[in-house]
Amino acid sequence: MNTRIHRPWWLRKRIIFPLVLLVGVAVTGFVAFENSDASTIVVYNETGNPLPPLLVSACNQSRPFAVLADRESVRVTLKPHGVESPVHLELGTEPPWRWDGPLIKPNGGGRVTIRLLVGGQVEAFTDVSWWRRIFE
C-alpha cells in the first residue's frame, strides 16, 4: 500500500530549493550593489622604510594612521557626505611632506590607489567599482 503524503506544490523540494537560491542571489546582489556606493582610498608603502605618522584627507574627512611599515597598506572608506575634493596626504616629518592627488567623490564607488615609492615619488590610480560601471 502506498502511504505517500502529497505535499502542496510550493512545499516540494524541486520548487523550494531553486526559489530560495534565486531569492538568496537577489538579496546578495542588492547588498553588494548598495555597499559598492562607498568610495575608498588605499595607500601602499613601497618606500623600503617605515613611514612616520600619515594623515589621509578627502571630501572634508580625514583619518590619521600611526607608523606605516614597509609593504604595508591602509584603507580609508569615505562616508557618503561631503563634496568632491582631491586626495591629500601628509606625513608627520619636519618639514611636513604634503601631496595632493586626483579628485574623488564621497560616494559613487570611486577608488583611488596610491603607491608611495622611493625618493618621495607617488603613483596614483583611479577606478570605479564595476557594479557602478554596469548599472550607471
Side-chain angles (χ1 to χ4, degrees):
M1 184 169 186
N2 191 356
T3 61
R4 197 168 97 178
I5 299 173
H6 291 288
R7 294 182 186 165
W9 66 270
W10 62 87
L11 292 178
R12 294 187 183 159
K13 286 182 186 176
R14 282 180 269 169
I15 302 297
I16 289 177
F17 182 71
L19 188 63
V20 167
L21 185 63
L22 184 63
V23 169
V25 167
V27 167
T28 302
F30 178 75
V31 168
F33 180 74
E34 285 299 312
N35 288 338
S36 73
D37 191 36
S39 294
T40 58
I41 302 167
V42 181
V43 180
Y44 293 96
N45 177 11
E46 296 181 356
T47 61
N49 298 312
L51 289 178
L54 171 69
L55 178 68
V56 180
S57 306
C59 306
N60 296 329
Q61 303 173 42
S62 62
R63 186 156 171 217
F65 294 96
V67 176
L68 188 63
D70 183 38
R71 300 287 178 194
E72 196 173 73
S73 65
V74 292
R75 176 183 302 262
V76 177
T77 302
L78 298 174
K79 295 182 172 78
H81 64 281
V83 295
E84 181 178 31
S85 72
V87 176
H88 177 78
L89 299 181
E90 188 172 330
L91 288 175
T93 59
E94 191 54 47
W97 177 88
R98 294 183 174 104
W99 180 82
D100 286 324
L103 293 175
I104 188 169
K105 295 180 193 174
N107 56 3
R111 286 183 279 187
V112 176
T113 304
I114 300 170
R115 297 186 185 284
L116 301 176
L117 303 171
V118 178
Q121 298 210 2
V122 180
E123 285 183 354
F125 304 98
T126 59
D127 194 13
V128 176
S129 167
W130 67 273
W131 281 97
R132 294 294 163 175
R133 269 186 272 151
I134 290 172
F135 294 111
E136 291 182 0

